[in-house]
Amino acid sequence: MRMRDSVVGRRRVRRAAAGSALGVLLLLTGASPAAATGDPSGPGWWAQQLARQPLAAGDGWAASGAGTTGGSAADDAHVFVVRNRDELAAALTGAAPKIVFVEGVIDGLKTADGTALTCADLADPGYTLESYLAAYDPAVWGRATDPSGPIEQARVRSVANQRARTELKVGPNTTVLGLGDATLRHLTLMIDGGNNVIVRNLTFEDAADCFPRWRPTDGAEGNWNSEYDLVSVRRSTNVWIDHNTFSDGDNPDSNQPVYFGRPWQVHDGACDITHTSDLVTVSANVFTHHDKTMLIGSSDTVGPDVGKLRTTLRHNVFDGVGQRAPRVRFGQVDVYNNTFRVAEFYDYSVGLGIQSAVYLENNHFTLTDGITADRVLKDWKGTAVTERGSFGRVGNGRPGPLNLLAAYNTANDPDFGADAGWTPTLRAYQPLPGWAVPLATLLSGAGRLGAR
């Protein structure tokens, strides 16, 4: 698991292509013009360079304060190549600077010898879905109170079993870098109190909850609630999430059954930033065919989150996601040069929550399936948003400038104000015009950095 070979050639690669159109893409995305593969038995030369690369100065909120360097200072004893869940869990621990290269597909529901686990293997002896449905059917239990009693307690113990298996805590001063098409499946990377963390070039798939909770008091009809995000950032500062792909894999919510008249919800967030986290940059990722995509701030309580949750989203692709792209509470959130492709199973894109301060600039939107511009924004107790330079196409119309704020205010009361109260200054890249954003995001997502 441990790579003790000397790491060579740590000089930064010069950006020789900076003056060309290709150079612009490379600069925006951090991709390499040519990836040297080096020793086929371990990370190649270019992967080693990427693993030592800190976030660039001025590149969003994560460049503020001490900046974000991850494990760039790791000594050879703290450079690891991991190929299964147990190796990954061990490599992520500790506070020393460390680099964790992920190789191949790591499945949280497979043992080190490749034995597949099922939800039944994780269930407490007192829990079955059939017994849970029978006990808490609204016709039997009612809708006035949430489930309690022995079967609910058995479900909670089952959740603990799954968490111990599939939720992996990331220590501070860590860089996690995928090699090739590295994939984390049925796992959550939990960055909780893990300051100074970098996560790059990974495909995250299907952190499904085996044991969702029924809450009849959640909304007018009740809802199923699930536990696990693909990446969760909590109580952490200076975090850079870059060039990853997030999806539900081959287990989409659209394929789930309906119980008690409500969808069986097995997925929570793709990349959530909550619980006083601060100074986060989310760049050049692809979020595809997922419902609750990115929650920034988890509670309306006016308290520790105030003045925190400062986040930059740039050059990401939100492709067919249902909502929360992002949904924001409290934070100053800079959303620029992102691509939004909106289709069926859609609620909204940008949710404006309590004391949120969202700055939307030069984003590109493609709205299909009868979805109109007034639906892109949603009121979650927010009061204002700054929007500049939105561009895109609605239905079969001609591409052109969009005014999402005006569309929302025309269709809804009360209106949002037009000034979020701040202007971003931490931008390493001058925003491209909205019409050019799809070109700038062509190299977003996992597998685009050339890390081998």
Side-chain angles (χ1 to χ4, degrees):
M1 175 172 87
R2 182 170 291 169
M3 189 186 74
R4 297 184 179 272
D5 302 301
S6 296
V7 178
V8 297
R10 295 180 183 174
R11 296 188 304 272
R12 293 189 179 186
V13 177
R14 293 185 177 180
R15 295 170 175 176
S20 66
L22 175 61
V24 171
L25 282 175
L26 298 177
L27 287 169
L28 288 172
T29 63
S32 65
T37 57
D39 180 358
S41 65
W45 175 85
W46 178 245
Q48 294 177 36
Q49 309 311 300
L50 290 171
R52 301 281 176 179
Q53 182 182 54
L55 177 66
D59 191 359
W61 277 115
S64 189
T68 303
T69 59
S72 61
D75 59 27
D76 290 349
H78 290 89
V79 179
F80 308 95
V81 179
V82 299
R83 300 176 178 87
N84 62 54
R85 179 261 178 212
D86 293 349
E87 290 179 351
L88 176 59
L92 293 172
T93 61
K98 53 195 164 297
I99 294 169
V100 182
F101 292 103
V102 178
E103 187 173 87
V105 177
I106 296 181
D107 192 327
L109 295 181
K110 285 188 177 179
T111 64
D113 66 5
T115 302
L117 302 174
T118 67
C119 291
D121 295 316
L122 303 175
D124 182 86
Y127 174 90
T128 65
L129 177 58
E130 293 75 16
S131 65
Y132 192 87
L133 294 174
Y136 303 115
D137 187 323
V140 176
W141 181 260
R143 294 183 176 273
T145 60
D146 290 335
S148 62
I151 298 178
E152 169 61 14
Q153 292 167 6
R155 187 199 66 83
V156 171
R157 292 192 296 272
S158 302
V159 169
N161 294 340
Q162 181 175 357
R163 178 173 286 112
R165 178 72 206 173
T166 64
E167 188 175 279
L168 304 184
K169 188 169 182 178
V170 181
N173 308 309
T174 301
T175 293
V176 185
L177 178 69
L179 299 175
D181 56 359
T183 299
L184 298 185
R185 185 175 296 148
H186 303 136
L187 285 169
T188 296
L189 281 191
M190 176 59 72
I191 306 170
D192 190 348
N195 298 336
N196 191 31
V197 170
I198 297 172
V199 178
R200 306 182 78 186
N201 201 50
L202 285 164
T203 294
F204 293 92
E205 291 183 350
D206 190 23
D209 188 343
C210 288
F211 313 104
R213 179 188 182 194
W214 170 242
R215 295 199 62 204
T217 62
D218 182 358
E221 301 176 82
N223 277 301
W224 292 96
N225 287 256
S226 54
E227 288 278 333
Y228 306 105
D229 306 326
L230 290 162
V231 172
S232 184
V233 182
R234 301 181 179 183
R235 290 171 283 265
S236 299
T237 301
N238 292 106
V239 176
W240 181 26
I241 309 294
D242 178 69
H243 275 92
N244 304 288
T245 297
F246 298 81
S247 81
D248 295 339
D250 61 0
N251 187 33
D253 285 335
S254 58
N255 286 355
Q256 304 305 320
V258 173
Y259 297 124
F260 306 155
R262 302 299 293 157
W264 174 248
Q265 179 62 263
V266 298
H267 298 109
D268 198 15
C271 180
D272 282 4
I273 301 160
T274 61
H275 295 81
T276 72
S277 290
D278 199 20
L279 308 181
V280 179
T281 296
V282 181
S283 59
N285 301 281
V286 172
F287 300 90
T288 182
H289 297 94
H290 184 88
D291 184 19
K292 301 174 181 178
T293 304
M294 184 182 298
L295 183 65
I296 301 177
S298 59
S299 169
D300 284 349
T301 301
V302 178
D305 282 338
V306 175
K308 298 185 181 295
L309 300 171
R310 291 171 292 180
T311 304
T312 298
L313 277 66
R314 66 158 182 86
H315 305 111
N316 300 288
V317 176
F318 297 95
D319 180 21
V321 303
Q323 58 179 307
R324 301 185 182 179
R327 176 181 172 182
V328 180
R329 295 177 172 100
F330 299 109
Q332 292 181 333
V333 177
D334 183 14
V335 182
Y336 79 94
N337 277 179
N338 299 279
T339 293
F340 295 80
R341 294 194 286 265
V342 172
E344 60 181 344
F345 307 115
Y346 178 72
D347 189 354
Y348 66 93
S349 292
V350 180
L352 305 177
I354 185 169
Q355 296 186 24
S356 61
V358 177
Y359 199 102
L360 289 169
E361 185 168 13
N362 294 12
N363 296 287
H364 189 281
F365 295 83
T366 301
L367 309 181
T368 61
D369 293 330
I371 296 164
T372 51
D374 61 283
R375 293 180 57 188
V376 173
L377 304 177
K378 185 163 183 175
D379 184 5
W380 291 103
K381 303 181 184 178
T383 58
V385 59
T386 299
E387 183 208 2
R388 301 177 57 192
S390 298
F391 192 93
R393 183 175 66 187
V394 179
N396 295 322
R398 293 171 62 96
L402 299 175
N403 191 327
L404 305 174
L405 177 58
Y408 176 89
N409 285 344
T410 298
N412 298 276
D413 287 313
D415 288 359
F416 287 132
D419 184 0
W422 73 294
T423 301
T425 58
L426 289 166
R427 288 178 172 176
Y429 309 107
Q430 183 69 25
L432 293 171
W435 61 262
V437 172
L439 175 64
T441 55
L442 281 175
L443 295 182
S444 295
R448 302 295 194 176
L449 289 175
R452 295 289 188 274

